[in-house]
Amino acid sequence: MLLKGIVLLCCKTLSVERTESATFHILTGKKSVQTVQDIHLYQLTKYYGVHRKLERTVYDRILKELHEEGFIIRDHTSLTLELTNQGEAWLQEIKEQLPLHYFNGLKFKSSAVLFLERLILLVQTFSNVGMNHFSFIPVLDNPLVENWVKEQYRLNKERISIYLNDLHSELLPLLQSIKGKEASIFVDRLSGHQYYGMSWEQLAKNYDMTIEDVQILLTGISHKMVHQILENKASFPLLYQVIEEGNNKRLMTESAYKTYQLLEKDYSIENIALVRNLRINTIQDHLVEIALYQMDFPIERYVPSDIQKDILAAIEKASSNKLKEIKGLTELDTTYFQIRLFMAGIDYVEQTGDINVYN
Amino acid sequence: MILMSTINLEKELDTYFGYQAFRPGQREIIEDAMSGNDVLGVLPTGSGKSICYQLPAMLLKGVTIVVSPLISLMMDQVKQLKAINIKGVVAINSFMDTKERREIWNKLHRYKLIYISPELLQRPDVQRKLKLVGVDLFVVDEAHCISQWGHEFRPDYLKLKKIITFLDNPTVLALSATATTNVQQDILSYLNKPNMIKHIYPIDKPNITFNVEHLSGEKEKQEKIVSLLKAYYVPTIIYFSSRLEAENISALLSLKTDRRVAFYHGGMESQDRIIIQQQFMNGQLDVICCTSAFGMGINKKDVRLVIHYHLTPQLEAYIQEVGRAGRDNKSSVGLLLFSEGDIFLPKNIIKGELPTKNEITTVFRQLKAMYDQGQTLPTTDQENLAVFQVSESKWRFLQYQFEKHDILKETVIKYDQQLWKEAFLAISNRCEERLIKKDKQLQSVIKWIYHTGCLRKKLYQDFQPSYTEPVDQCCSNCGFSWKDWQPEQLTHQREKAYSWEEKLKKLLLVDVQ
């Protein structure tokens, strides 16, 4: 029902202005200009990339069901769809029950995945070594996550039970802040000492949900947790590490990281340049770098929304991703810095590769 | 080479792996391999084949490399070794990203035991690097893959001979759990090691009872399984030839019995595969409904019942799968359920493994078009699969054939009209031959199913001259009754339903457990 609700909500917002694929691209987090533009224009950033595993066949099945239930009308020539009154009513009715406010796809889609994977392996590892059990099969194959957990073990091996205690007291309030069933699903996905958690299939069966709903719910819960932890770093020092450590700073250059620390203290660009005795251009370069890695980078502070729209329109018109061409197509007083920052912020660079393509 | 008299192998076995004694065959194979003799070892599944190279790898000065056809198998082995705290082990495969792989490359000399896929081993840079670090022992795992008479022919295995020469002829150890005399001969000749010392051990399992039941169809099969699961509370594996059936019957069984049932197949994501496998190992599950993807590298000792819902495409596969029962040597049962319509399933699977004439024609056309435009082939398998729109097994077959016929050299296409014409014919014929061969293998399974004499004798007759007398009932043809099969049953108390708060405490608060 959760995925269905989200699909219906996106379709409603996009209405007949977009084809029925647009929602699919949003949910799977497609990195195309069109999709990124859509989520900003229609304020669907929350749902961007919240179900990257979603298969097209499953999505089509959901549309078919929505159609059969009389919630949408599909136009097979224009490939658009529209909500019926019945669909509107159903959406209104279930909206309140669904944890829609958990989601923040654009901001957390990558960090929440990393958070969850690290947490799962962390719990399994520490739960085992806490019982002096050093031989177990890790449930995750990701070597990057494994290395990070190993590092945590190396740092904390003298104080395993304290670490586990801290982890427990940080996780508990987070889980208490969501519904009991949700907390239960979350805990059942975890593995520990001589115990393996549930597969997607088992969770779905146990909680009488579809696999897709379990998966997307767990994504939502992890978004909410990451949000709460970042909002209140002081209360979650350990979990903050799980999200941040080795994530942001190591990918940044040393110099950009210094700028980042000053930004965190609310210094302006000009002041940072002054304090660090660097040119403003250099600090701006740092900001672009930071925007690439800091998931909640406040782009609006440097690129107001009318400028954002201007850049989007220009990107749309441009035949290439060259900054020079895009700049030429802007209509407002938009700067190169703003374009680069904006493109970095919307994750656009991952697709285009190099951001320094001035000429 | 090492002077064997200076080493106490038992002591080393205990130090590294914690075993007190060798199992039959291990010591003999290890001694020969460590003295620098090329060895062919045929040992039954579950007899500790891998110790035969894992122990030498720890003791030899240089590197041991293991060519293994299945990535999941390699990963399992590495995980298990790491779990018992053995260091210097790594599995290299094409699924790793460049960064990861480069990291391993740079410290390759620090590893003792390197698992590698046959595809990756074809790369000249990989070969050069291995030559540089110096390979002492070259292990060909699942060596039957080298033979077209083996049940999983892998063309890349045919190229191992050249690589072994390039690596300055390290000692070669070829291992298999299933090699008929034909296949053994192929291994020696394709590896170009006619003087290999053969250590062939009987693969029959005296503690397994073979049972074939002819039923009228799906419904009867399902009823049979339900009643068996109700009667016997023992760790059970049920094999299917399709993922969907495994899922469906799994759902049915959890509905109709109170056993803890799950399915397992290659279409699941990796984390879920590990979870299900480990739940079964750990006794959190009683019954696994699975495809042939399950079981490689699993060593659960007390599987009592292995049921085949569908027949396997070769007897070798059956022997391997049924061999997962009773690793603790206690009485276990292999049950194959057969209804007449089942014959068509493997036939279709076999057809899907080889390119059709149409597909061969299309790929040839595409190659020509690419050649005309001066293009080369993509470098990764995944891209090639997308370009040529054929399945992985089909592409592997074609790629090998193209290289053999001098049409492809790595990614470069070479064109010669006459040569291409001949190659096209040869490749099409080759497919025909393979189909006929596979059909023959299937026929031998069907013959076995309809055999009226002793099933045990018939099953093993191509592999070894005789077999050990069964410890319990022999087979359904020699007379079998379920009544007389009384294995020790599990006693599982329904677990108390814990709240999530309690579960979290159990996971994290060590003193609570």
Side-chain angles (χ1 to χ4, degrees):
Chain A
M1 194 166 72
L2 178 56
L3 179 58
K4 237 178 183 174
I6 291 176
V7 168
L8 202 62
L9 188 77
C10 288
C11 290
K12 178 190 153 151
T13 317
L14 294 168
S15 73
V16 288
E17 292 168 34
R18 291 286 181 269
T19 66
E20 55 185 40
S21 299
T23 297
F24 178 73
H25 294 323
I26 291 174
L27 298 182
T28 53
K30 188 178 180 188
K31 283 171 191 150
S32 71
V33 177
Q34 179 73 61
T35 302
V36 172
Q37 187 176 6
D38 282 350
I39 58 169
H40 285 284
L41 219 60
Y42 295 95
Q43 281 147 23
L44 291 170
T45 51
K46 275 164 69 171
Y47 304 113
Y48 184 58
V50 291
H51 201 352
R52 290 201 270 190
K53 287 189 256 223
L54 181 63
E55 282 169 35
R56 184 72 204 209
T57 47
V58 175
Y59 178 71
D60 287 338
R61 194 194 71 213
I62 288 174
L63 288 189
K64 199 167 154 248
E65 283 171 14
L66 286 171
H67 176 70
E68 282 164 4
E69 283 156 335
F71 294 160
I72 54 172
I73 304 166
R74 304 176 77 169
D75 185 330
H76 289 285
T77 40
S78 65
L79 287 175
T80 57
L81 42 83
E82 214 174 341
L83 260 63
T84 60
N85 288 338
Q86 222 177 325
E88 290 273 3
W90 185 72
L91 190 58
Q92 283 313 318
E93 187 189 313
I94 59 153
K95 221 171 147 180
E96 295 310 308
Q97 308 161 32
L98 299 181
L100 297 176
H101 56 283
Y102 289 6
F103 293 91
N104 201 336
L106 183 64
K107 226 176 181 179
F108 299 139
K109 70 176 162 41
S110 309
S111 53
V113 172
L114 189 68
F115 167 73
L116 204 54
E117 291 201 342
R118 281 178 170 181
L119 187 68
I120 284 173
L121 197 56
L122 188 72
V123 169
Q124 190 192 9
T125 306
F126 278 64
S127 171
N128 270 289
V129 297
M131 294 297 286
N132 285 320
H133 195 262
F134 296 91
S135 155
F136 61 94
I137 303 288
V139 292
L140 278 165
D141 266 335
N142 185 339
L144 294 175
V145 172
E146 196 181 302
N147 285 341
W148 180 85
V149 173
K150 272 186 193 157
E151 177 74 7
Q152 299 313 302
Y153 170 67
R154 202 181 58 74
L155 293 171
N156 296 290
K157 61 180 168 197
E158 308 302 332
R159 47 186 293 277
I160 297 287
S161 65
I162 302 171
Y163 190 93
L164 282 166
N165 257 307
D166 292 348
L167 190 58
H168 181 261
S169 39
E170 287 189 26
L171 274 174
L172 196 63
L174 289 176
L175 289 165
Q176 279 164 341
S177 76
I178 55 181
K179 288 184 190 155
K181 183 181 171 186
E182 294 165 356
S184 190
I185 290 175
F186 188 90
V187 175
D188 276 338
R189 183 68 174 162
L190 301 174
S191 298
H193 174 238
Q194 289 185 342
Y195 166 82
Y196 286 84
M198 291 191 193
S199 68
W200 294 124
E201 173 73 25
Q202 290 171 328
L203 285 172
K205 207 164 92 184
N206 203 40
Y207 291 94
D208 197 19
M209 294 164 73
T210 63
I211 288 185
E212 292 78 38
D213 274 1
V214 176
Q215 291 176 334
I216 205 168
L217 177 61
L218 204 62
T219 302
I221 295 171
S222 63
H223 286 183
K224 183 173 192 288
M225 286 184 166
V226 170
H227 173 77
Q228 279 173 287
I229 295 161
L230 293 180
E231 283 290 288
N232 200 348
K233 293 167 197 169
S235 309
F236 304 103
L238 201 153
L239 290 176
Y240 180 66
Q241 270 189 359
V242 179
I243 300 171
E244 288 284 305
E245 209 193 41
N247 187 16
N248 281 353
K249 59 184 177 199
R250 273 190 217 164
L251 293 167
M252 265 183 239
T253 57
E254 198 57 37
S255 186
Y257 186 59
K258 280 183 187 146
T259 297
Y260 169 70
Q261 287 173 316
L262 292 172
L263 276 177
E264 291 280 283
K265 290 181 191 154
D266 275 335
Y267 276 56
S268 69
I269 296 183
E270 291 74 18
N271 280 338
I272 296 174
L274 212 62
V275 172
R276 299 200 57 200
N277 198 17
L278 291 167
R279 295 184 325 143
I280 287 194
N281 274 347
T282 310
I283 304 299
Q284 286 182 339
D285 284 345
H286 290 164
L287 258 71
V288 173
E289 208 181 322
I290 293 162
L292 274 174
Y293 299 116
Q294 187 188 345
M295 53 208 153
D296 53 354
F297 186 84
I299 288 209
E300 318 73 47
R301 193 178 296 169
Y302 309 97
V303 193
S305 68
D306 55 328
I307 302 276
Q308 286 193 29
K309 277 192 194 129
D310 185 39
I311 298 171
L312 266 175
I315 291 175
E316 183 81 327
K317 275 182 255 163
S319 60
S320 72
N321 293 317
K322 294 229 167 81
L323 288 181
K324 198 174 177 183
E325 188 189 357
I326 294 168
K327 170 90 164 82
L329 290 164
T330 54
E331 285 164 9
L332 304 174
D333 209 3
T334 304
T335 65
Y336 274 118
F337 168 60
Q338 285 171 322
I339 299 173
R340 291 171 61 211
L341 197 60
F342 180 75
M343 288 172 79
I346 60 172
D347 221 0
Y348 189 69
V349 279
E350 273 185 50
Q351 192 197 16
T352 54
D354 196 352
I355 48 163
N356 293 314
V357 275
Y358 275 105
N359 304 301
Chain B
M1 205 193 302
I2 277 185
L3 260 182
M4 288 310 297
S5 55
T6 60
I7 297 181
N8 181 345
L9 282 178
E10 261 89 8
K11 198 170 144 247
E12 303 290 352
L13 179 72
D14 188 28
T15 314
Y16 283 102
F17 300 95
Y19 296 130
Q20 312 305 317
F22 285 105
R23 301 224 224 138
Q26 288 176 338
R27 166 183 269 285
E28 292 78 358
I29 291 174
I30 292 171
E31 279 180 349
D32 267 332
M34 287 190 59
S35 314
N37 297 316
D38 298 322
V39 181
L40 166 64
V42 179
L43 292 167
T45 31
S47 64
K49 253 193 314 157
S50 37
I51 289 288
C52 296
Y53 55 82
Q54 286 168 348
L55 185 61
M58 297 302 122
L59 303 176
L60 289 168
K61 235 176 126 196
V63 165
T64 295
I65 64 172
V66 181
V67 184
S68 178
L70 272 173
I71 288 165
S72 56
L73 188 65
M74 300 198 296
M75 309 272 251
D76 268 351
Q77 294 240 352
V78 172
K79 264 187 220 156
Q80 282 167 17
L81 289 171
K82 283 188 177 166
I84 57 170
N85 212 15
I86 287 193
K87 299 201 165 72
V89 188
V90 71
I92 309 174
N93 58 64
S94 37
F95 283 105
M96 288 177 158
D97 63 38
T98 345
K99 198 178 140 219
E100 262 173 73
R101 224 188 287 162
R102 190 164 303 143
E103 228 169 81
I104 292 169
W105 269 175
N106 289 339
K107 45 178 189 182
L108 202 66
H109 56 281
R110 284 206 249 148
Y111 293 104
K112 300 293 293 174
L113 178 57
I114 300 169
Y115 287 86
I116 192 163
S117 63
E119 297 78 38
L120 205 59
L121 194 57
Q122 306 304 326
R123 289 180 28 177
D125 54 330
V126 173
Q127 294 171 13
R128 282 196 300 269
K129 183 80 193 176
L130 285 170
K131 188 178 176 131
L132 207 66
V133 287
V135 175
D136 268 4
L137 182 60
F138 189 100
V139 182
V140 185
D141 203 7
E142 313 293 337
H144 53 268
C145 293
I146 208 168
S147 167
Q148 314 199 19
W149 295 100
H151 62 292
E152 316 166 79
F153 172 55
R154 291 294 209 102
D156 278 321
Y157 266 57
L158 293 176
K159 304 176 198 155
L160 294 178
K161 178 171 69 182
K162 267 195 198 155
I163 299 168
I164 291 169
T165 317
F166 179 80
L167 294 175
D168 306 321
N169 285 305
T171 309
V172 175
L173 170 57
L175 290 168
S176 172
T178 154
T180 57
T181 32
N182 276 339
V183 174
Q184 291 170 24
Q185 204 39 55
D186 276 358
I187 295 172
L188 265 57
S189 69
Y190 285 125
L191 288 175
N192 198 20
K193 299 278 176 194
N195 299 321
M196 268 188 156
I197 301 176
K198 287 193 195 176
H199 288 280
I200 314 293
Y201 289 84
I203 55 168
D204 63 309
K205 303 268 181 134
N207 61 320
I208 297 182
T209 299
F210 295 96
N211 202 340
V212 175
E213 288 203 27
H214 296 257
L215 300 171
S216 67
E218 302 291 294
K219 201 159 167 271
E220 267 191 36
K221 285 186 184 178
Q222 291 159 16
E223 282 164 6
K224 180 83 212 174
I225 294 175
V226 169
S227 76
L228 275 180
L229 291 189
K230 282 185 174 160
Y232 294 102
Y233 186 17
V234 292
T236 303
I237 303 176
I238 310 175
Y239 280 101
F240 297 81
S241 64
S242 95
R243 292 171 178 179
L244 191 66
E245 290 263 34
E247 290 192 12
N248 289 343
I249 304 298
S250 165
L252 179 101
L253 294 178
S254 11
L255 204 70
K256 296 210 166 170
T257 71
D258 51 9
R259 301 287 175 250
R260 297 163 299 171
V261 190
F263 62 80
Y264 179 106
H265 56 64
M268 292 155 61
E269 66 180 65
S270 140
Q271 193 179 346
D272 279 6
R273 283 210 305 268
I274 301 171
I275 284 176
I276 295 299
Q277 181 181 312
Q278 292 307 318
Q279 285 180 350
F280 188 57
M281 293 289 294
N282 200 27
Q284 290 172 248
L285 284 172
D286 308 316
V287 182
I288 296 273
C289 296
C290 57
T291 62
S292 58
F294 182 76
M296 283 281 189
I298 294 231
N299 58 59
K300 186 170 170 67
K301 302 269 183 278
D302 58 348
V303 177
R304 284 284 154 267
L305 185 56
V306 172
I307 301 175
H308 278 78
Y309 194 86
H310 298 122
L311 72 173
T312 57
Q314 317 84 13
L315 283 177
E316 282 95 329
Y318 185 72
I319 290 174
Q320 212 156 41
E321 287 168 8
V322 82
R324 309 226 156 89
R327 297 238 164 139
D328 55 5
N329 297 324
K330 290 186 186 166
S331 171
S332 307
V333 169
L335 169 65
L336 190 144
L337 301 175
F338 181 75
S339 71
E340 272 173 35
D342 291 355
I343 299 172
F344 300 104
L345 258 164
K347 282 201 166 160
N348 288 331
I349 294 173
I350 290 169
K351 276 191 197 140
E353 284 171 355
L354 288 160
T356 61
K357 205 151 194 159
N358 271 338
E359 283 172 317
I360 302 175
T361 315
T362 318
V363 172
F364 261 95
R365 274 204 201 117
Q366 266 174 296
L367 277 180
K368 179 69 169 53
M370 289 172 83
Y371 173 81
D372 287 342
Q373 289 168 21
Q375 293 173 343
T376 57
L377 252 57
T379 45
T380 67
D381 278 352
Q382 283 97 322
E383 287 172 280
N384 278 310
L385 297 186
V387 169
F388 295 105
Q389 293 287 312
V390 288
S391 72
E392 195 176 336
S393 64
K394 289 178 182 178
W395 173 246
R396 276 199 207 297
F397 174 85
L398 285 170
Q399 192 180 28
Y400 173 72
Q401 292 295 331
F402 289 146
E403 283 174 17
K404 195 173 128 190
H405 287 99
D406 221 16
I407 290 173
L408 268 185
K409 187 144 197 215
E410 306 201 358
T411 59
V412 182
I413 307 165
K414 291 203 275 179
Y415 182 71
D416 175 308
Q417 196 183 8
Q418 190 53 34
L419 228 94
W420 277 42
K421 257 190 193 155
E422 286 162 21
F424 176 78
L425 274 178
I427 293 174
S428 308
N429 288 339
R430 195 97 199 85
C431 281
E432 289 283 313
E433 273 170 48
R434 295 278 301 143
L435 276 179
I436 292 169
K437 197 172 150 285
K438 285 189 172 231
D439 193 57
K440 237 171 145 180
Q441 290 177 322
L442 178 61
Q443 289 310 321
S444 65
V445 179
I446 293 164
K447 260 191 211 142
W448 182 71
I449 288 169
Y450 281 108
H451 187 62
T452 49
C454 175
L455 290 173
R456 175 181 308 272
K457 189 174 166 194
K458 179 86 177 162
L459 184 63
Y460 294 123
Q461 72 177 12
D462 286 341
F463 296 87
Q464 57 196 63
S466 67
Y467 59 86
T468 315
E469 282 303 308
V471 296
D472 202 342
Q473 305 182 73
C474 176
C475 67
S476 44
N477 288 350
C478 290
F480 171 82
S481 112
W482 286 106
K483 264 207 320 280
D484 294 334
W485 188 52
Q486 295 299 343
E488 195 185 322
Q489 308 227 8
L490 299 168
T491 46
H492 170 70
Q493 280 115 22
R494 278 258 155 237
E495 247 177 60
K496 187 178 159 250
Y498 291 105
S499 70
W500 69 260
E501 288 93 341
E502 288 167 310
K503 284 182 192 165
L504 191 69
K505 267 189 197 161
K506 274 167 76 87
L507 278 172
L508 297 178
L509 300 183
V510 177
D511 28 357
V512 176
Q513 292 201 341

